[in-house]
Amino acid sequence: MACAWFAPQPTHAAEKSYTFYTDDTYAPFEFANKQNKYVGIDIDLIHAIAKAEHFKVTVKAVGFNAAVQALEAKQIDGVIAGMTITPERSAKFDMSKPYYPTGPVAAVKKGSDIKSLKDLRGKRVAIKTGTAAADYANSIKAKYGFTTVTFDDSNNMYQDVVTGNSVACFDDQPVLQYAIATGIQLHIVAKPATVKYYGIAVNKGRSDHLIDKLNAGITKVKQSGEYDKIVAKYLGNGTVASQKKKNAKTQESDRSFFGLLKENWSTLMNGLGETLLLTLVGIICATVLGVLIGLLGVMPDHFAQGVATTFIYVFRGLPLLVLALFVYTGVPSLTGTKIPAFVAGIITLSLNEGAYTAAFVRGGINAVAPGQMEAARSLGMPWTKAMRRVILPQGIKIMVPSFINQFIITLKDTSILSVIGLLELTQTGKIIIARNMEGFKIWTMVALIYLIIITALTWLSQWVQKKMNA
Ligand code: ASN
């Protein structure tokens, strides 16, 4: 049955194939290139380390906070994401040797009259969830009298300052410098408060000593000169002019709506493919589960009814986002068993959509006149037979519109699963925009794709409904 997706997956650590998560927009360390492929110093570095230390590596860009949460939940093997080595992080994770110097700085919009931290009094400042720069901003917030607003990625945080909603943002110096060199209209106002370094994080106490391999790998790629080559590949000789030149190569050629659509077509279609797969498997599992629970809810048995009512109450009551995070990062941190993101997505959809399905299945059956059951029973039919032959055929007709509605909702709900790093249509849109800043055009494309699919799904369902009533 389709729900075999639920089977827990074995951990792969022993096979020397490791999964690392990274940030989604943190150029020059990790960012999507023109082909929407993730590149950057961190990406090249972890591959070079893997080669030197003879292990396989898969890197997935999910955003910094999501990456750290997945590591905490032991869903993945490590995080390489321009991650500052701090005492708190070293207490929680094994941090590798340092590889790149960094420090938090504040940036304001070009031409802004904010000249130093003192000018931030009473103003709104943008920070990024879970970062060292956000911790720094929070630590000086009372002293300088500013308030903070939080973003999940650096890009949106910068945009908030550029559009003037926030007057400043805090991020790491090398990343902000690169962003400015490549055209973001910001200006750094303060020197880095501290000098720290980036390191790679893994969980403590691993029996395979991954941290030793990473450290040995860093030493090897630094000694061989490969590391310098990687850095030069993205930063040129470090001057602003050379960064601009490097970046020019990654710029889009045609920024018109159709130019962008053509350029990002295959990436968008891959995202759509994942969305459709999630929807299809989600609908099948949710329908099976929902029908079973709905039937429990109409059985002449108080316990069965109680189970159904509780299920519907709990899973209809939880916001989908909370449920997704609970399944993906909450449960594994308790059980120690990894749940792949796709499976976590399907479990989430099955529970949530299944609860709604159960509710209308129960309601649909209850809506069939009670006399029907009484009549069937008085003819000597057992309860299950009466249900199957008399009640369900009438109940299902009542439920069909609700099923159609639920399929459409499931398709839309898959977009929420972007929080657990699933590369479905919405997450694909975010990643494209992170690179080209064409928010209006790309979100229009994404919205149109959803609408086209939903229209097709509605037509199909109406056709099925007509056939059933014929
Ligand atoms: N530099 C950030 C930190 O160390 C991580 C990031 O934003 N990718 O907290």
Side-chain angles (χ1 to χ4, degrees), residues 188-204:
I188 294 177
V189 283
K191 285 212 179 78
T194 49
V195 179
K196 294 218 162 95
Y197 286 87
Y198 288 149
I200 309 169
V202 302
N203 276 308
K204 283 190 184 290

Side-chain angles (χ1 to χ4, degrees), residues 23 26 64 81-84 89 128 130-132 172 198:
D23 205 342
Y26 216 50
F64 182 66
M83 183 168 175
T84 310
R89 287 175 181 163
K128 176 172 154 194
T131 59
D172 290 2
Y198 288 149

Side-chain angles (χ1 to χ4, degrees), residues 7 177 293 468:
Q177 250 170 4
I293 304 277
M468 279 182 73

Side-chain angles (χ1 to χ4, degrees), residues 140-451:
I140 58 167
K141 187 167 156 175
K143 181 172 166 202
Y144 292 101
F146 57 82
T147 56
T148 51
V149 52
T150 311
F151 290 87
D152 264 349
D153 60 272
S154 292
N155 233 28
N156 280 321
M157 171 170 77
Y158 300 161
Q159 285 310 312
D160 204 54
V161 181
V162 172
T163 52
N165 290 329
S166 298
V167 297
C169 64
F170 281 83
D171 205 347
D172 290 2
Q173 188 189 31
V175 179
L176 262 172
Q177 250 170 4
Y178 187 88
I180 293 168
T182 53
I184 305 258
Q185 298 297 306
L186 294 177
H187 167 71
I188 294 177
V189 283
K191 285 212 179 78
T194 49
V195 179
K196 294 218 162 95
Y197 286 87
Y198 288 149
I200 309 169
V202 302
N203 276 308
K204 283 190 184 290
R206 292 178 63 114
S207 57
D208 60 356
H209 305 292
L210 177 58
I211 192 69
D212 297 336
K213 293 186 203 172
L214 294 175
N215 284 334
I218 292 176
T219 308
K220 280 186 199 159
V221 296
K222 283 212 167 180
Q223 273 170 2
S224 70
E226 196 175 348
Y227 177 76
D228 289 338
K229 271 194 211 144
I230 294 174
V231 173
K233 179 171 156 197
Y234 294 99
L235 295 182
N237 60 17
T239 61
V240 169
S242 78
Q243 288 186 20
K244 265 195 182 140
K245 209 167 123 205
K246 289 258 155 207
N247 190 60
K249 289 187 194 150
T250 61
Q251 290 292 328
E252 311 275 335
S253 31
D254 181 355
R255 292 200 159 239
S256 71
F257 184 87
F258 288 104
L260 288 168
L261 184 63
K262 200 172 143 210
E263 193 149 279
N264 295 296
W265 180 254
S266 66
T267 312
L268 286 168
M269 287 304 112
N270 285 341
L272 175 63
E274 184 79 355
T275 291
L276 291 179
L277 188 64
L278 276 166
T279 309
L280 194 72
V281 182
I283 284 175
I284 293 172
C285 290
T287 305
V288 171
L289 190 68
V291 169
L292 287 177
I293 304 277
L295 287 173
L296 278 186
V298 293
M299 270 172 70
D301 177 281
H302 284 309
F303 179 73
Q305 287 181 7
V307 169
T309 305
T310 314
F311 181 90
I312 294 171
Y313 177 76
V314 171
F315 294 110
R316 209 169 51 168
L318 284 177
L320 197 60
L321 184 64
V322 173
L323 191 58
L325 291 172
F326 180 77
V327 173
Y328 185 62
T329 58
V331 174
S333 56
L334 184 76
T335 61
T337 312
K338 293 184 194 186
I339 306 178
F342 188 84
V343 179
I346 294 298
I347 296 176
T348 308
L349 288 178
S350 304
L351 294 174
N352 179 278
E353 318 293 341
Y356 282 96
T357 307
F360 68 69
V361 166
R362 187 178 63 178
I365 295 172
N366 284 336
V368 178
Q372 298 279 325
M373 178 57 106
E374 282 157 23
R377 295 298 303 253
S378 67
L379 287 175
M381 277 194 200
W383 187 87
T384 22
K385 196 171 178 194
M387 182 53 82
R388 215 160 15 99
R389 290 280 182 79
V390 181
I391 310 297
L392 278 182
Q394 302 179 61
I396 285 175
K397 281 216 170 114
I398 302 175
M399 293 170 214
V400 167
S402 308
F403 270 114
I404 296 174
N405 204 16
Q406 201 56 40
F407 294 166
I408 293 171
I409 292 174
T410 307
L411 176 79
K412 290 194 289 181
D413 279 355
T414 54
S415 71
I416 292 181
L417 301 175
S418 59
V419 289
I420 59 173
L422 280 170
L423 205 51
E424 42 63 71
L425 189 55
T426 303
Q427 179 74 359
T428 305
K430 270 197 222 165
I431 288 172
I432 297 175
I433 294 162
R435 173 171 49 78
N436 65 15
M437 305 280 170
E438 295 282 3
F440 182 74
K441 290 175 197 155
I442 301 293
W443 284 131
T444 304
M445 287 172 205
V446 170
L448 284 175
I449 297 175
Y450 275 116
L451 282 180

